[in-house]
Amino acid sequence: PSMARIRTGGASATFPDMQSDSDVRFMNSTFQTEGGAFLRVDNGRMVTEEYTSTLFDAAGLTDTKTVFTLPAFSTLLSVKMVLNKVFVATGMTDLDITVGEGIDADGFLAPAAHNLTSDAVGTVYRGKGALFAAGGTYSNNTASGVTVVATATAVGANLNTLSAGQVTFIVEYIQH
């Protein structure tokens, strides 16, 4: 899936199929948001982090893990999740993952109904959570980072019984 379209100095480029664990920096660029607005970016970054089924290893139906730290004085543009491999565990009938911070578990990524045990590989989950402002961004105007966590919720089997599965989290932000 296409992850970013960037215009720099009148030229444009598309970055399809971002590879896992990528860290792309953008200087003096203009981004077009999903809503169509243009943002001037002087120090933008797109970070992708790939995780397998071993990320969520609790002997229970829920588990929360840190997937990224949003730097101090930065603006979060988006968080997306891509299903690379379907999650598998004997007896598991549903697996949902949301992304947020310590107080609001789905504040950054709250996809509509989804099931990582049966959704199509390549599905991109985009539902912005309540922590995003009306303009579609989340601002961290503090001198400390914000811990971004993924929360997995399973039905039918404990998370530590997962034998397969893989997702990539894509975090786009501007460093001020």
Side-chain angles (χ1 to χ4, degrees), residues 6-78:
I6 292 95
R7 280 191 345 193
T8 305
S12 65
T14 300
F15 293 85
D17 303 321
M18 293 296 296
Q19 298 301 309
S20 64
D21 301 326
S22 299
D23 184 349
V24 181
R25 296 171 190 245
F26 303 101
M27 301 298 290
N28 302 317
S29 302
T30 302
F31 285 78
Q32 185 171 11
T33 66
E34 290 176 18
F38 288 93
L39 294 173
R40 177 77 179 150
V41 177
D42 291 320
N43 190 7
R45 296 178 80 172
M46 180 188 323
V47 178
T48 62
E49 298 288 344
E50 184 176 270
Y51 291 99
T52 64
S53 58
T54 58
L55 176 66
F56 301 107
D57 58 1
L61 298 177
T62 61
D63 196 10
T64 299
K65 299 292 183 178
T66 298
V67 294
F68 180 74
T69 300
L70 183 65
F73 305 109
S74 60
T75 299
L76 184 62
L77 302 174
S78 72

Side-chain angles (χ1 to χ4, degrees), residues 136-155:
T137 62
Y138 169 84
S139 294
N140 176 21
N141 295 318
T142 68
S144 58
V146 173
T147 302
V148 177
V149 297
T151 301
T153 304
V155 175

Side-chain angles (χ1 to χ4, degrees), residues 116-136:
L116 300 179
T117 66
S118 63
D119 287 350
V121 169
T123 299
V124 179
Y125 306 94
R126 304 176 190 271
K128 286 190 174 184
L131 290 175
F132 282 95

